[in-house]
Amino acid sequence: MQIRRYFAILSVAFILGNSTPAISQCAMCKMPAESNLANGGTDGSGLNKGILYMFVTPYLLVGTIAFLWWRGRRKFQVEQESEASELQNDI
């Protein structure tokens, strides 16, 4: 069990240590953003942040729904177990 834990920690450290910044735009946005940055503007960095927000939002929504489902399911199982134990105690 400890080998799995060390492997997981090393994997996470490796992934975080070797990550590169996710700076990219679509082809339609790349040229105007590059020319704006070359002229001293900051529109390109704002565009990159907007792309990252759009990328993260669906994952946050799905993660929130999954967490709420898991929590509700766990509460249901605890209630079922407590009812079953009460019925056994009554017998």
Side-chain angles (χ1 to χ4, degrees):
M1 187 67 175
Q2 293 219 346
I3 293 173
R4 288 184 184 176
R5 183 179 297 159
Y6 290 129
F7 181 71
I9 291 171
L10 286 175
S11 297
V12 169
F14 180 75
I15 290 170
L16 292 177
N18 288 326
S19 65
T20 57
I23 299 174
S24 61
Q25 292 108 5
C26 65
M28 298 297 290
C29 301
K30 185 176 181 180
M31 289 305 294
E34 284 180 356
S35 65
N36 183 279
L37 288 174
N39 293 331
T42 59
D43 291 342
S45 63
L47 189 61
N48 285 334
K49 289 177 184 175
I51 291 169
L52 290 176
Y53 286 133
M54 288 189 296
F55 177 72
V56 169
T57 302
Y59 291 102
L60 288 175
L61 289 173
V62 170
T64 302
I65 291 169
F67 173 74
L68 293 173
W69 175 80
W70 172 77
R71 190 176 65 178
R73 182 77 175 152
R74 195 176 81 181
K75 283 182 181 180
F76 178 75
Q77 287 176 346
V78 168
E79 290 173 0
Q80 292 294 324
E81 290 173 0
S82 66
E83 288 177 6
S85 65
E86 286 176 7
L87 286 175
Q88 286 179 349
N89 289 339
D90 290 340
I91 295 176

